[in-house]
Amino acid sequence: MTGLLEGRTALIVGVLNKRSIAAAIANAFAAAGGRLALTYQNERTQRDVARVADALPGDVPLFPLDVTDDDQCDAAVHGASEALGGVDVLVHAVAFAAASDLEGRFADTSREGFRVAHEVSAYSLVALARRVEPIMLARGGGSIMTLTYLGAERAVPGYNVMGVAKASLEASVRYLAWDLGAGGIRVNAISAGPVRTAAARGIPGFQSMADAVTERTPLRREIDAADVAGTALYLASDLATNVTGETLHVDAGYHAMGL
Ligand code: NAP
């Protein structure tokens, strides 16, 4: 895949540590010749994100970004654009729901828990897409992608309010694809099967979910972050020139099954 992103730049939001799906995407983009900027949510996570950046080739600028803070959204997008000389690709790999809202019944989700899950996991894509749009327009187009999960389409016990927020995220992808498409900006989602990351550990019953999925996938195997990164690279590149408004499943085929 060498050269697929030669001369392209990407802002990648959602690296927590080296096991993050976003870290695998950063590795794949860098190997394809892309120049990158990363973000970290707060000082607690800055060191781990810096380690991921240090392992990448070249100078990888880092920007603080809590996606609930409009000023930080502005600063991260403009900082990345200045540092890289523009942004061609935006990767959004951010999600959060309070543990208390994932433990019980979805029916008992609190008003505040519902709001926070949607703000961090879905609205943040809209907020970042709007900011990156003029920068991509100036470069003749671009590619925006986000990460979602089957719990948006089906009820997955334990995924609860996060599934409803992911449904909002997937709908946002389609509306953004329409709004930004006139300027040549593509917007897509990757629906990943279970990958063992920090966020996944916060989902109650993740292990049994992953085991059940492995037994029932057409390919009879787990996926890993590198599998997702391959599809992200495709979506970032000219290979996906006319692909937008799409949710692509990278789940060894599990979504196609009825049991
Ligand atoms: P991860 O390594 O824990 O990444 C999640 C990221 O979201 C972290 O960097 C986290 O930062 C960030 N985040 C949460 N709240 C934020 C905020 N307010 N502002 C900025 N960043 C914030 O886990 P991951 O599994 O790679 O998750 C990446 C994406 O893939 C998520 O959208 C997730 O839902 C999706 N996904 C994961 C799986 C899976 O099985 N792992 C499957 C399908 C989809 P902090 O930790 O510092 O808060």
Side-chain angles (χ1 to χ4, degrees):
M1 297 303 164
T2 314
L4 218 43
L5 295 188
E6 210 63 60
R8 303 279 171 88
T9 60
L11 171 59
I12 300 183
V13 180
V15 175
L16 171 63
N17 55 40
K18 65 179 183 191
R19 281 178 298 280
S20 296
I21 292 173
I25 293 174
N27 286 329
F29 283 11
R35 285 186 305 115
L36 313 176
L38 306 182
T39 66
Y40 58 91
Q41 199 202 329
N42 52 42
E43 282 169 17
R44 180 178 53 81
T45 58
Q46 183 176 3
R47 218 174 51 181
D48 282 343
V49 179
R51 276 202 203 106
V52 172
D54 288 346
L56 292 165
D59 192 25
V60 177
L62 299 185
F63 299 93
L65 176 56
D66 179 330
V67 293
T68 63
D69 182 323
D70 279 330
D71 292 340
Q72 287 192 17
C73 288
D74 283 334
V77 168
H78 290 112
S81 178
E82 255 175 45
L84 300 173
V87 175
D88 299 304
V89 181
L90 169 68
V91 175
H92 171 277
V94 171
F96 176 78
S100 54
D101 283 313
L102 298 176
E103 278 157 7
R105 303 186 320 151
F106 168 69
D108 296 327
T109 305
S110 64
R111 188 180 296 275
E112 179 61 6
F114 191 95
R115 186 193 66 74
V116 168
H118 283 72
E119 179 179 3
V120 176
S121 314
Y123 182 73
S124 58
L125 175 69
V126 183
L128 292 172
R130 187 168 62 244
R131 286 169 170 84
V132 90
E133 179 185 11
I135 296 164
M136 288 182 171
L137 283 178
R139 290 167 76 83
S143 172
I144 297 174
M145 68 193 77
T146 186
L147 271 298
T148 185
Y149 174 62
L150 191 65
E153 303 166 55
R154 318 251 180 92
V156 177
Y159 205 60
N160 295 8
V161 68
M162 185 56 77
V164 181
K166 292 294 195 191
S168 166
L169 178 71
E170 291 181 14
S172 301
V173 162
R174 293 185 282 272
Y175 281 95
L176 287 169
W178 169 250
D179 282 352
L180 276 55
I185 300 169
R186 299 181 291 103
V187 188
N188 292 288
I190 300 172
S191 185
V195 178
R196 290 161 209 280
T197 63
R201 280 199 299 275
I203 309 294
F206 176 84
Q207 186 56 53
S208 52
M209 191 197 299
D211 291 345
V213 162
T214 308
E215 271 172 31
R216 294 174 199 175
T217 54
L219 294 174
R220 271 84 163 176
R221 61 184 179 226
E222 280 184 44
I223 69 145
D224 62 25
D227 299 326
V228 182
T231 296
L233 177 57
Y234 156 72
L235 287 175
S237 78
D238 289 343
L239 293 176
T241 292
N242 273 317
V243 178
T244 194
E246 186 62 273
T247 297
L248 273 170
H249 293 86
V250 180
D251 63 355
Y254 181 75
H255 70 283
M257 300 301 292
L259 55 85

